[in-house]
Amino acid sequence: MAQKIVTSGIAGIFLDEDKVIAAAYKVRESGFVKFDAITPYPVHGMEEACGIKRSLIPYVTFAAAGFGLLAGLGLVYYTAAIDWPINIGGKPMFSLPAFIPIMFELTILFAALCTVGALFYMCKMPRIDPPVIDKDLTCHKFAIFIPENDIGYNQDRIEKLFKELGAAEVKKVAEY
Amino acid sequence: MSTQLNIPPMKRAQLVLGNKTLKEITDDICAPVESFPSKGWMALFVSAKTLFLFYILTIAMVVATGMGLLGVNHPVGWGTMIITFVFWVGIGHAGTLISAILFLFRQKWRTSVARSAEAMTVFAVMTAGIFPLIHTGRPWLDFWLFPYPNQRGPLWVNFRSPLLWDVFAISTYATVSTVFWFVGMIPDLATLKDRAQNKIRRTIYGALSLGWRGTAKNWSHYEMVYLILAGLSTPLVISVHTIVSFDFAVSNLPGWHTTIFPPYFVAGAIFSGFAMVITLMTLMRMGWPKFKDYITIDHMEVMNKIIMMTGLMVGYAYGSEFLIAWYSGNIYEQYVFFVSRAFGPYAWSYWIMICCNVVIPQLFWFKKLRRSIPVMFVVSIFVNIGMWFERFVITVTSLHRDFLPSNWGQYAWSMYDTAILVGSFGMFFTIFLLYLRVFPAISIAEIKPVMNVGKDNDSDNHSGSGSDNHNQGGH
């Protein structure tokens, strides 16, 4: 899942969603493995085209939720039943039903924050001023970027491939 | 079934009008952020800000002098602060409903309104959060609400109290909905950064976008996280207003001690929240006519249907309270509902509530009225008035006459109560108006995948079309 370090390479820029998906399939078939597709919005079918596996973040969420639940339980148990037990309305010191809201809220809080933390980790965020291939890639253009350290990297071959696939522009990228 | 019905396939309403290209969508949505404010916006902002300053002043006076400035006293110990707190928290619920629950239900129309509704949530919860903090009477000691090791024993907070559940619920809700809102905005902030014409703008939006790049791998994680956050927010939003209702329902007071409170409060929250969304969207459509292509009359109509439905649910709850009061055989319950609340000294507030929440939304049975912007604007205002009165009715009419007639009294509403209530709108609208000029008010990255929904001969060659076909059955 780790992303490539800053590297140079070639990017093909496409103007059409369908073309970039077809291109991603083709680039993968041509044997490239480190390429990435850059799109302004999540393009349906791009994960299959690029061969991206299902995100592992749900496991982080589950673990964090479990931890949050136990942390909530630990907090209420320690404070209400051990550290300073106070008789409130004759209820048992450890009155679980009354503690469920606290445990629930902490479960959600931990799960949500850790999920976002995992997203930042996976996407290498926050990142200061990442290199940009084309400013329109967050607006209406799509790109496929092949780094120079990819298997079978050959400038002429890739340029030709992108042209054949209908790229509007083929760009040499100094660093990405 | 031998007979095949020959019904033409239902056509979906277009979600984005005007055959926009991707570039046009970006331009349209970024326009309010990148252009000089209009006179209308300035006028609204100056009035809202003035009201906000007035609000700050009022709060300062209440905090400096003490809670005695407000009308709360024995026997009505909960007043404007709690009423208005519940009112604003309730408004906050529609945002999460739209952004999370409708997302899980794959309601594509939510996309256009989700961002602003979510923003409304965050700002409404901010506005709401101030009230209980002041209501404590000594707001400078509010950190006592959190369980931290202290030198008083340590004396811990009482986890058996619904009021403390509320502290956890509201703070979790504020945190998670802010995070959800912000995460949803990251790709759009990157768009704004890339469009920036000057360095300051580029730096600020660059920092806010956290270096988002939009690679396929990033999107894959991002979409998963969005789904998870929606899944987490859904039980959260329901739990929050449930717990707010526990503040009342867990007590023994007739009029509060009711098992219907959690669903009744959640339905009411959605009801008032959608009304506020309609109010805000109507204003946004007026301010930026281009947004009419994104927040279409169809969108407004769907929300009006939800208002009508939740209005009926709230009306049902009002009715069932009478039934249960009668059925319980408890004279105190029966007194509250059959004598004191609907026909007692506060009967006017009860009937305002019934008119605004149950009677007026019935206008939406008529398609023409449902689709009329002036009508829905007026109805949405009435609904919000009605929902404020609902909380007034619940809080004040239950407290003012309880078990012992010698313990009865009236709520001594003061001008500071009015000032606090009116001023809170200044705070909310100031923040919301600023938001409209700083962040893209419609999700750019989310609207693009659904831009072709409902367009002619385009059902197959675009993203998301697979699930469109699924949805057709459901309409």
Side-chain angles (χ1 to χ4, degrees):
Chain A
M1 283 294 145
Q3 281 191 327
K4 56 210 166 291
I5 43 163
V6 171
T7 171
S8 60
I10 298 178
I13 296 190
F14 299 82
L15 297 177
D16 197 322
E17 182 183 304
D18 302 329
K19 276 188 188 153
V20 77
I21 289 194
Y25 271 115
K26 196 79 191 162
V27 168
R28 190 151 75 99
E29 276 169 25
S30 311
F32 296 107
V33 288
K34 292 184 180 171
F35 73 97
D36 215 336
I38 300 122
T39 55
Y41 56 89
V43 172
H44 193 70
M46 187 55 98
E47 283 151 314
E48 293 89 326
C50 295
I52 295 171
K53 289 199 198 87
R54 194 170 181 272
S55 171
L56 293 172
I57 291 179
Y59 296 99
V60 177
T61 310
F62 183 74
F67 180 77
L69 183 73
L70 293 177
L73 179 66
L75 174 72
V76 291
Y77 187 75
Y78 174 74
T79 57
I82 296 178
D83 194 45
W84 191 341
I86 298 176
N87 184 337
I88 295 166
K91 308 250 182 357
M93 292 308 165
F94 179 60
S95 32
L96 184 64
F99 297 156
I100 284 176
I102 306 281
M103 289 157 63
F104 174 79
E105 298 300 334
L106 288 178
T107 307
I108 299 283
L109 183 67
F110 275 68
L113 293 183
C114 292
T115 304
V116 174
L119 171 75
F120 286 1
Y121 178 77
M122 293 293 200
C123 296
K124 294 245 152 67
M125 281 158 47
R127 195 170 154 181
I128 295 163
D129 208 13
V132 170
I133 293 178
D134 190 315
K135 287 196 167 182
D136 288 333
L137 289 182
T138 52
C139 176
H140 59 282
K141 290 183 183 170
F142 308 83
I144 289 189
F145 172 75
I146 303 179
E148 64 172 0
N149 58 1
D150 206 346
I151 304 157
Y153 182 87
N154 176 316
Q155 196 174 319
D156 298 335
R157 178 179 158 228
I158 293 172
E159 277 177 7
K160 199 164 149 248
L161 178 68
F162 278 150
K163 287 260 164 61
E164 276 169 12
L165 291 169
E169 194 186 341
V170 178
K171 251 190 179 175
K172 267 199 227 166
V173 182
E175 56 168 19
Y176 187 65
Chain B
M1 291 288 166
S2 57
T3 49
Q4 185 80 29
L5 288 175
N6 193 16
I7 302 169
M10 278 177 87
K11 189 160 170 352
R12 280 176 74 94
Q14 252 176 279
L15 289 183
V16 179
L17 303 177
N19 285 319
K20 308 263 182 198
T21 62
L22 292 170
K23 174 98 171 89
E24 281 168 346
I25 290 181
T26 318
D27 290 343
D28 283 356
I29 298 176
C30 292
V33 185
E34 292 171 343
S35 58
F36 201 74
S38 67
K39 283 199 183 112
W41 185 89
M42 285 301 253
L44 278 177
F45 181 69
V46 169
S47 6
K49 201 190 64 170
T50 312
L51 199 56
F52 187 23
L53 292 174
F54 169 71
Y55 182 52
I56 293 172
L57 192 73
T58 315
I59 290 181
M61 289 175 77
V62 169
V63 170
T65 315
M67 284 290 284
L69 287 184
L70 301 171
V72 285
N73 207 327
H74 189 82
V76 184
W78 278 10
T80 338
M81 289 290 180
I82 301 298
I83 298 165
T84 318
F85 157 73
V86 181
F87 172 75
W88 280 114
V89 168
I91 283 181
H93 280 54
T96 315
L97 183 97
I98 293 176
S99 57
I101 300 183
L102 295 182
F103 178 78
L104 296 183
F105 282 121
R106 297 280 184 264
Q107 293 296 306
K108 285 172 193 288
W109 63 270
R110 73 174 265 292
T111 312
S112 311
V113 283
R115 167 74 45 78
S116 290
E118 183 83 13
M120 179 194 80
T121 291
V122 173
F123 307 146
V125 172
M126 281 161 65
T127 312
I130 289 180
F131 291 101
L133 294 183
I134 301 171
H135 182 82
T136 57
R138 288 188 288 171
W140 52 93
L141 295 176
D142 279 340
F143 58 92
W144 284 4
L145 291 167
F146 288 95
Y148 67 98
N150 55 61
Q151 290 173 314
R152 302 185 295 276
L155 180 62
W156 298 101
V157 290
N158 176 15
F159 286 110
R160 295 178 191 86
S161 164
L163 300 181
L164 196 82
W165 303 345
D166 224 15
V167 172
F168 277 73
I170 301 290
S171 47
T172 302
Y173 185 50
T175 313
V176 173
S177 53
T178 309
V179 164
F180 191 28
W181 177 58
F182 183 74
V183 166
M185 221 152 41
I186 289 174
D188 290 359
L189 293 169
T191 305
L192 279 171
K193 174 203 71 175
D194 284 343
R195 288 169 62 90
Q197 300 293 335
N198 64 56
K199 196 155 181 257
I200 301 171
R201 209 183 166 80
R202 206 186 120 74
T203 312
I204 292 173
Y205 284 112
L208 285 173
S209 70
L210 304 173
W212 173 259
R213 302 209 286 186
T215 65
K217 282 171 195 145
N218 286 0
W219 280 119
S220 166
H221 292 306
Y222 179 87
E223 286 198 287
M224 181 59 85
V225 165
Y226 202 82
L227 178 68
I228 291 172
L229 286 181
L232 290 171
S233 299
T234 299
L236 177 65
V237 66
I238 292 169
S239 85
V240 170
H241 226 59
T242 301
I243 291 174
V244 170
S245 82
F246 283 169
D247 291 345
F248 300 93
V250 174
S251 76
N252 280 328
L253 191 70
W256 286 3
H257 189 57
T258 317
T259 44
I260 200 174
F261 262 26
Y264 160 32
F265 267 54
V266 172
I270 293 164
F271 181 54
S272 65
F274 268 89
M276 187 58 100
V277 174
I278 288 283
T279 313
L280 296 175
M281 296 299 151
T282 315
L283 294 174
M284 268 167 68
R285 282 167 49 104
M286 262 161 59
W288 289 289
K290 281 253 170 87
F291 279 12
K292 288 180 186 171
D293 291 341
Y294 301 91
I295 304 164
T296 65
I297 274 290
D298 290 317
H299 288 97
M300 307 296 264
E301 188 190 357
V302 177
M303 290 193 279
N304 288 334
K305 284 180 185 166
I306 296 180
I307 287 181
M308 192 177 73
M309 185 196 72
T310 46
L312 289 171
M313 287 160 75
V314 170
Y316 171 79
Y318 298 156
S320 81
E321 284 189 319
F322 281 94
L323 175 79
I324 297 298
W326 165 76
Y327 187 66
S328 70
N330 180 319
I331 52 166
Y332 302 107
E333 286 280 334
Q334 287 171 355
Y335 177 77
V336 165
F337 286 100
F338 289 103
V339 183
S340 149
R341 189 173 276 185
F343 306 104
Y346 289 109
W348 51 274
S349 64
Y350 185 81
W351 296 106
I352 290 178
M353 168 188 96
I354 293 285
C355 279
C356 294
N357 291 354
V358 185
V359 180
I360 291 178
Q362 303 309 318
L363 290 176
F364 287 153
W365 284 105
F366 302 99
K367 184 160 185 168
K368 208 173 168 188
L369 300 177
R370 218 158 55 212
R371 294 175 72 90
S372 153
I373 295 288
V375 170
M376 70 176 84
F377 185 74
V378 172
V379 170
S380 73
I381 303 276
F382 272 117
V383 167
N384 270 319
I385 294 173
M387 283 310 289
W388 187 85
F389 272 101
E390 181 195 296
R391 279 66 177 249
F392 180 88
V393 166
I394 291 171
T395 311
V396 175
T397 67
S398 306
L399 282 168
H400 86 295
R401 288 185 175 180
D402 61 0
F403 305 95
L404 278 179
S406 58
N407 197 29
W408 289 1
Q410 297 286 95
Y411 182 29
W413 185 271
S414 81
M415 68 177 196
Y416 290 93
D417 288 292
T418 315
I420 286 263
L421 167 63
V422 174
S424 66
F425 283 87
M427 172 174 172
F428 175 77
F429 278 101
T430 305
I431 306 174
F432 193 83
L433 286 164
L434 285 175
Y435 146 80
L436 286 178
R437 303 213 53 89
V438 176
F439 297 125
I442 296 171
S443 176
I444 306 171
E446 271 188 275
I447 201 106
K448 282 172 182 170
V450 299
M451 60 189 264
N452 290 309
V453 170
K455 274 191 199 164
D456 288 332
N457 46 19
D458 189 80
S459 53
D460 279 318
N461 63 354
H462 252 288
S463 66
S465 57
S467 41
D468 292 352
N469 295 338
H470 280 297
N471 280 355
Q472 278 184 351
H475 277 257

